[in-house]
Amino acid sequence: MKKLYTEYEYKKYHARHCRRQAYNRRRSQYKQNYGNIALNTTIGRVQYKTLFAPAKFCIKENPEEVVRFVNKLNKNFEKRIPTFVNLSKVTYISYDAIVVLLSIMSQFKRNRIQFNGNFPDNFQCNIILRESGFLGNLYEKQIVRYDTVAKKKNVIRKHGKEALGEVAEELIRICSENIWSKPCRCQGVYRILIELMQNTHAHANNDKPGVENWWLSVNYDSQNNKACFSFVDYGIGIFTSLERKKESDKFFGMLNEIKRKIVDPSNAKVLERILDGDLHRTSTGRSYRGKGLPGIKTALERNQISNLYIITNDAYSSVCENKYITLSHAFDGTFIYWELTENNTKCNDTKA
């Protein structure tokens, strides 16, 4: 009679038990070292290249470091390199950076490129990231999240490829109810959202219009009673798009035309002129500020929005501060941030 441990069924069970035990040991060790991942690490059978997020993880306030970090992520994505996003050293995090990170990691997931990551060691940053809905949006199939619970009002995410008026209306309704305790019209915000969605659809990729996604995050700040909007698309950026315009396009050659008129032809200074309407004025011969970036600045001047930031290619602007600088690292796409506060102009009805 065979001993129990020499029988086939026992050996099969024992092998399965050993594999399970080994998996549990690896998982336990991984959890213990969660915030101390080496530059190259192996989890299971996958070797990851680790990228460390900057301590101040806020694209509108720390554009140089965040854009450099984003570019490294995009480079790994293009080369299909398994990537570990290490957030352990982050001491300040904002929702604008979270939506940028979400948009990139969603591309990893959609293209089945291995990725992993951890949470900040800083308690407050850890809580902000966990409550932002980042993981839910990244791993759940549902792509729209509206949280109406008081403590969760700051979690709204949406992405798409087309101009979606119903999305803009719904967001404005939620934001106005949070800020003024009733649904109101916010014409400036509505026009900005539709314009940005349309621009992504039409201009983010000159060769194949409509293939690029836009990402939108809206977060309610209850302490300051304001809604913070972060819009990002990973097309080619405004200046690259203008440089590649075809002869049949009304904006063909307009970028060089504007640069010839100014002393400093950097993209940062050109962005300032574009916001003032020079691009439309140069192409049409008329002063026209209704659409595109000039329309966004017009909304700011009319007090329909507040605190406007724009990053596109290597141009950065804090428009309210009249601050225009050239970044040392170019952002492949366009990022726009603005706020809606209780002091901004509104209309007291619910039609958008």
Side-chain angles (χ1 to χ4, degrees), residues 247-313:
E247 292 186 23
S248 58
D249 194 286
K250 66 178 180 180
F251 292 123
F252 175 76
M254 291 300 101
L255 181 60
N256 291 330
E257 189 69 23
I258 293 175
K259 287 184 176 182
R260 281 196 290 267
K261 295 179 181 179
I262 58 180
V263 177
D264 180 4
S266 67
N267 285 342
K269 292 299 181 182
V270 173
L271 176 60
E272 183 177 7
R273 302 296 288 268
I274 290 176
L275 286 168
D276 288 335
D278 278 15
L279 182 63
H280 289 89
R281 190 159 43 243
T282 301
S283 64
T284 64
R286 295 175 294 173
S287 179
Y288 182 61
R289 293 277 304 273
K291 292 187 176 181
L293 293 180
I296 297 176
K297 188 176 182 184
T298 298
L300 179 69
E301 294 169 346
R302 291 176 177 174
N303 193 36
Q304 294 174 322
I305 63 170
S306 301
N307 210 16
L308 176 63
Y309 290 81
I310 299 173
I311 301 175
T312 182
N313 299 126

Side-chain angles (χ1 to χ4, degrees), residues 189-288:
V189 175
Y190 181 83
R191 288 170 181 165
I192 290 171
L193 290 172
I194 296 301
E195 186 68 30
L196 292 176
M197 293 175 188
Q198 289 176 339
N199 283 347
T200 301
H201 181 83
H203 304 298
N205 188 312
N206 285 345
D207 297 325
K208 297 180 180 179
V211 302
E212 298 296 340
N213 266 299
W214 49 260
W215 283 82
L216 174 64
S217 172
V218 186
N219 306 287
Y220 176 64
D221 180 349
S222 58
Q223 290 184 343
N224 298 296
N225 194 26
K226 64 181 181 181
C228 306
F229 292 75
S230 300
F231 186 97
V232 61
D233 76 64
Y234 282 104
I236 53 179
I238 293 172
F239 295 103
T240 304
S241 178
L242 288 172
E243 289 171 354
R244 297 180 183 177
K245 293 297 182 186
K246 299 177 181 178
E247 292 186 23
S248 58
D249 194 286
K250 66 178 180 180
F251 292 123
F252 175 76
M254 291 300 101
L255 181 60
N256 291 330
E257 189 69 23
I258 293 175
K259 287 184 176 182
R260 281 196 290 267
K261 295 179 181 179
I262 58 180
V263 177
D264 180 4
S266 67
N267 285 342
K269 292 299 181 182
V270 173
L271 176 60
E272 183 177 7
R273 302 296 288 268
I274 290 176
L275 286 168
D276 288 335
D278 278 15
L279 182 63
H280 289 89
R281 190 159 43 243
T282 301
S283 64
T284 64
R286 295 175 294 173
S287 179
Y288 182 61

Side-chain angles (χ1 to χ4, degrees), residues 95-104 157 215-217 230 232:
Y95 290 104
D96 54 42
I98 291 174
V99 73
V100 169
L101 180 61
L102 175 62
S103 64
I104 299 173
R157 300 276 188 269
W215 283 82
L216 174 64
S217 172
S230 300
V232 61

